[in-house]
Structure formats: C-alpha cells, structure tokens
Amino acid sequence: MADAGKTEWDTIVIGSGMGGMTAAAALSKFGHKVLLLEQHQTLGGLTHSFSRDGFSWDVGLHYLSRLAPEDRERELLDWLCDTPIDFVSLGAIYDIVQIGSAEPLSLSRPYEAQERDLKDRFPDQAEAIEAWTHALREGRDAMMKIIPTRAMPKGAGDILDWWNRHALAKWCARTTREVIDDITDDPDLAAVLASQWGDHGGRPGKASFAMHALISASYLWSGSWYPVGGSAAFAQHMLPTISRHGGEIRAGVRVRELIVDGGTVVGARTDDGSEIYARRVISDIGARETIDTLLPDACGHESWIDEVRSLPSSIAHFTLFLGFEGDIEAAGATKANRWIYPNAETDAVWTNAPDSPPPQMTVAFGSLKDPDHDPGPEQKHTGQVLAWTDWSTVAEWADLPAGQRGETYADFKRRAEAMLMSQFERYFPDLARLVVYRELATPLSTVTFTGHRKGAFYGLDVTPERVLCDGLRARTPIPGLFLAGQDVATPGIPGALWGGLMAAASVDVKVLSKFRR
C-alpha cells in the first residue's frame, strides 16, 4: 500500500459527467474530501452546452423524465445542488411519431392518455395496446428490481436476482422486438411501439425490453421536464457543492492511468506525470473505457475484465445543430420531439451515410423548451437533427487526431450535413427557410469529448446481457476502484444520476439514507 502520508484526498472522481458530479457532490455532503478531475476545460460531460454566433445548444439533452416535484430524483437533485435547479414541464404531449407516410401521431402522458392516443389510431388493436401498457408497467418493475443490486455486495445482489428470477427472465432477458411480436402482428402498431428506442440507444431487435420499458415509460410516469437555463444548469448548481465542502474541481487534467499498489487502486497519474493519491478512485468515464484506458497491465481480475469487455458498445450518432432567425413556432416547431422514420422501418440506423437519406431522424428545438431563452429582436432559436448510425461510417478516420483527418473527412462531413439538411427541409420546409447557421457533429466528436469507445453516446449497449451483467456493480472487484454513471445504472441523465449515487453509497453507506423517502 502507498504511504499514508501521500494520501491527499479521500476520493478522486475521474470525469465530470452527471455520474461523476453526483458521486462527488454526495460524498462531499457526508464530509469526504473529494477531487474531481476533468480532461476538458468545459465541465459537465454530456450535460454541457456550447455556443456559436450567438446561438447555444445542449449537447446531450432533449428532455428528462422522473423530475416532477414529487419524484425521488428531484428531491435527490435538490439535496446534491448548492442551490436547487428549476425545471419546467414540457406539457402533456412530449413526443410526436411519424412512421412512413402516415399522419404524425402525438403521444401524451400518463399511461391512460397514451393508451387513448394509440387506440384512436389503431381502433382494432385495443387488446394489444392494453397488453403493451401492462408490459411497460411489468418491465419497468423488473428493471427496478435489478438496479439496486448494482450497489449491493455481490452475494446480496445474487440472492435478490434469484428471488426475482421469473420476472427477470420474462422481461429483462427478452428483447423489445420479442415482446412486441408477442403482443401484436400489426406492423404499423409495432413500429409505433418501438419508435422511441433512441431514448436509450438500444435497437428493438437487440435491447432488453425491461430497459426500454423503464426509460420510455418513465415519461408516462411523471411527464417530461427541462432544466431552466439548459443542461449547463447541472454543473452550475452541483459543482459548488463540492467546493463548499472542501473539495476541488480541476478542468483540463487528463488521467493517464490509475496507480495500483499491492493490488489496490491508490490514486491517479496524469498526463503531465503528476501522481495524486487518494483512499479510492471513482471512474465516471465508462466501464469499458476505465478498463481499457486507465488500468495498468497485469492488474489481475481477468474474469471481470473479460466480462465487461464482452459487452458491445451502444450505437453512435450524427447531430446537425441548427440556428434559426424568425418565428419558429409559426413555422412548425414545437416543444415536443419529432421521431421520423421515412421508410416505416424503426429498427434501422444510417449505415450508408452520407450517400442516401437516414432511415431515422429525431428533431428537437431546445430553445423553445427553456423559459430562460431570450430570442432577442432577431428571434434567435436553436434546434437539432439527430440520426443514429454505426461506427463503421467514420472508422477510417478514427486513428487520426482532430484537425488532421484531411480533405476526405471534410468532404464526408459536408455531404452528411447536406443530406441531413435536405431531409430536414423535406419535413419542415418553412423552418428550413429560417436556418442561418448549421454545424455537424459526427461520432468522432463524441469520442473527442467523452472518450466513449466507437462513439457510443449511451456507453454500453442495453442488451439483455448488459442488463443482467454482474460485472457492472458500482464496487469493482479491484479494491479502491468504483464505477459511476450510465453503465452502472441506465442510459441518460437520470440513469447517470443513479449511477453516481450508487457509487457514492458503495463508498459510504450513509448515502443510502438519502434514498429513503
């Protein structure tokens, strides 16, 4: 073990995404001296915002669930933040689905309202629709039985999994597509039921249904919400908690590897050669990324490492960031997100970019959701067009540093941007005329800012194998090393919040007291 005199901190947290901020703030509240390290100058991970030419966009936020005033997650956030974040409801209709040439279908909450939406569109499928609602409730409950085991000792978690084995086999071990196929043989209804899979990044033919149920039904549970001031509000309100309780946040510091002494993680070594010692380290950069980039060779625990490495990465994405000038609501923009499947095929990604149109797009207008947004006299607004893709589309440039990918990559980006813009114009011709700025981010952008393998926006894919994987507990088998974030719990910001809380609770059991209502 390292000399106790070298130990500068109780805990080092690597990564300032939602999971890292949560773990650091929670431990700080219980008296731990925490150092939070972030490789980029901008803090917040995928909750950060960026600006161009007077426009600002959230990088990874389109809406949030489980943040109604009575929700446990809202209470926990209020506790974690130096001052509470204000959230605004996005209303009853939160998503609009457009399948092929069919009329757009507005989806509303709660469960009963969405049942009515679906029955109005598919009157001869009432029994199937009711079965779907039942499946969503049951699948959500099954997933909620698994999540607590991520913060439990392995033996206790195994007992709980055994106790719930029938529910886990029925809902967690089957894919979204398998459950839908059991419920209906109507292809149009099946497409609608699968359409919101982008909220967790698991394609219907691969994703655990329980994960799909937990995340898609979370909006039916308590609606959709948006932070006042945009997603940057998370860092603005949570990071002061760390500083106020004696911790420190350092941006622009990249951790090169973990320091392991006698089989125990005792600190981190940075790119400039500095060695920082602590009683423990929490990694918020992803389970696979922690293993591949931070652990030194021959650190042991090969079975755990192999188990995590066997899990595939989630899908990647292109995002076209748009800046508008004019009355975008009059031109057709809404607070609700628009899910568009031009060919009526929902289980598809843009594998042949940029040579043909994407088989799926999600369009969102962030500035309409934020009551603090001031459009000014020019009526400046922002939007995003997101298209899911496969890493293979950009793999040939993956080993080249940003800025050194040459004209072929620049041409690829220009053509991909033009293709997405043409599709946006097809569905929103009046809005397209108001576009005055546009910028494309590719899966390589995700790698640059998050380090996620193969540009996986949501980390590990939400397959049944991932959902049932024992290797994703917050406490790793390596003494002194803990995991936080999406991979521990579920994709998305609320999932990363829970991943951070479970990491903190695995370090200090007193954090569990805040989980109880």
Side-chain angles (χ1 to χ4, degrees):
M1 295 292 292
D3 185 340
K6 287 185 175 182
T7 303
E8 304 172 42
W9 303 91
D10 293 323
T11 304
I12 295 171
V13 177
I14 302 173
S16 69
M18 190 66 185
M21 290 191 293
T22 297
L27 290 174
S28 296
K29 296 276 281 190
F30 278 99
H32 292 249
K33 188 179 179 184
V34 179
L35 173 64
L36 177 62
L37 301 177
E38 168 58 52
Q39 66 175 336
H40 295 292
Q41 292 297 333
T42 302
L43 299 162
L46 287 173
T47 68
H48 84 268
S49 302
F50 75 99
S51 300
R52 300 276 194 275
D53 292 1
F55 298 99
S56 294
W57 297 267
D58 293 331
V59 173
L61 170 64
H62 300 98
Y63 54 1
L64 294 167
S65 62
R66 310 204 299 267
L67 287 173
E70 66 274 11
D71 284 339
R72 191 73 190 106
E73 289 81 357
R74 181 72 165 268
E75 295 174 1
L76 287 164
L77 265 179
D78 286 348
W79 170 67
L80 289 165
C81 291
D82 188 52
T83 55
I85 302 172
D86 290 328
F87 291 91
V88 60
S89 171
L90 297 182
I93 297 173
Y94 58 94
D95 278 336
I96 300 171
V97 176
Q98 192 161 354
I99 309 289
S101 59
E103 285 296 309
L105 173 62
S106 296
L107 296 178
S108 51
R109 48 87 177 168
Y111 286 97
E112 294 78 10
Q114 189 158 120
E115 264 198 11
R116 186 71 268 157
D117 296 334
L118 294 172
K119 288 178 179 178
D120 287 347
R121 176 62 62 92
F122 303 99
D124 61 339
Q125 290 288 308
E127 185 176 340
I129 291 165
E130 290 170 6
W132 174 251
T133 300
H134 174 76
L136 288 178
R137 292 181 185 274
E138 292 291 310
R140 180 183 185 277
D141 288 347
M143 195 68 214
M144 292 298 289
K145 290 178 170 66
I146 282 185
I147 291 175
T149 67
R150 299 294 190 240
M152 292 179 181
K154 188 177 186 306
D158 289 346
I159 291 171
L160 191 59
D161 286 344
W162 177 86
W163 184 262
N164 296 311
R165 63 193 182 281
H166 297 301
L168 303 190
K170 185 173 184 179
W171 303 115
C172 301
R174 291 196 297 161
T175 67
T176 306
R177 175 58 57 200
E178 287 172 330
V179 171
I180 291 174
D181 286 346
D182 279 351
I183 287 173
T184 182
D185 57 4
D186 184 309
D188 296 327
L189 174 60
V192 171
L193 300 184
S195 62
Q196 294 162 292
W197 64 266
D199 278 339
H200 52 75
R203 294 177 63 173
K206 297 181 179 180
S208 165
F209 172 73
M211 188 72 83
H212 181 86
L214 175 73
I215 294 178
S216 62
S218 65
Y219 297 98
L220 300 174
W221 187 263
S222 55
S224 61
W225 299 81
Y226 202 80
V228 175
S231 63
F234 289 106
Q236 292 166 0
H237 289 255
M238 292 179 71
L239 294 179
T241 299
I242 303 166
S243 302
R244 188 161 59 86
H245 288 83
E248 187 177 328
I249 301 112
R250 298 179 190 172
V253 177
R254 182 179 179 275
V255 174
R256 187 171 70 207
E257 65 179 349
L258 299 176
I259 302 172
V260 180
D261 187 356
T264 298
V265 172
V266 296
R269 187 173 292 110
T270 64
D271 259 358
D272 66 1
S274 299
E275 293 185 347
I276 309 171
Y277 289 88
R279 299 179 186 277
R280 67 195 64 84
V281 173
I282 297 175
S283 174
D284 185 46
I285 69 170
R288 175 71 179 258
E289 290 74 16
T290 299
I291 289 170
D292 288 348
T293 66
L294 297 184
L295 283 180
D297 295 335
C299 66
H301 304 281
E302 286 83 3
S303 61
W304 171 68
I305 289 173
D306 290 344
E307 183 179 12
V308 174
R309 281 180 170 164
S310 72
L311 301 173
S313 298
S314 184
I315 54 174
H317 72 294
F318 292 89
T319 298
L320 181 60
F321 296 96
L322 300 176
F324 304 90
E325 288 185 357
D327 188 346
I328 65 171
E329 289 187 276
T334 66
K335 294 179 182 179
N337 304 309
R338 181 75 67 93
W339 302 76
I340 301 171
Y341 295 91
N343 304 319
E345 172 54 59
T346 53
D347 196 347
V349 298
W350 198 18
T351 55
N352 54 353
D355 298 322
S356 63
Q360 170 274 341
M361 296 193 312
T362 303
V363 180
F365 302 94
S367 61
L368 288 183
K369 301 174 183 180
D370 182 7
D372 264 11
H373 174 72
D374 180 7
E378 295 175 317
Q379 297 188 78
K380 285 181 175 286
H381 284 279
T382 57
Q384 298 178 26
V385 180
L386 185 149
W388 298 113
T389 189
D390 186 80
W391 177 247
S392 61
T393 58
V394 297
E396 65 181 281
W397 300 286
D399 294 330
L400 300 172
Q404 299 180 33
R405 293 170 183 146
E407 181 56 31
T408 58
Y409 180 63
D411 178 64
F412 172 87
K413 285 190 66 176
R414 283 192 293 268
R415 290 188 294 126
E417 179 180 308
M419 181 62 75
L420 285 174
M421 188 64 204
S422 70
Q423 285 296 95
F424 179 78
E425 186 173 11
R426 172 185 171 188
Y427 288 93
F428 302 94
D430 294 335
L431 279 165
R433 286 190 282 271
L434 302 180
V435 173
V436 297
Y437 182 89
R438 67 192 201 198
E439 180 176 335
L440 181 72
T442 77
L444 296 178
S445 308
T446 304
V447 174
T448 297
F449 286 100
T450 70
H452 281 175
R453 181 174 177 265
K454 294 187 175 182
F457 185 72
Y458 285 124
L460 296 172
D461 201 1
V462 292
T463 60
E465 293 74 19
R466 177 256 171 92
V467 167
L468 298 171
C469 178
D470 274 341
L472 298 178
R473 299 181 190 278
R475 182 189 294 272
T476 77
I478 301 177
L481 177 60
F482 299 78
L483 300 177
Q486 297 184 107
D487 287 348
V488 174
T490 66
I493 290 173
L497 167 74
W498 277 112
L501 286 166
M502 286 189 285
S506 298
V507 168
D508 188 338
V509 70
K510 292 192 296 293
V511 177
L512 287 174
S513 66
K514 303 304 297 186
F515 293 10
R516 305 186 186 99
R517 300 191 73 89

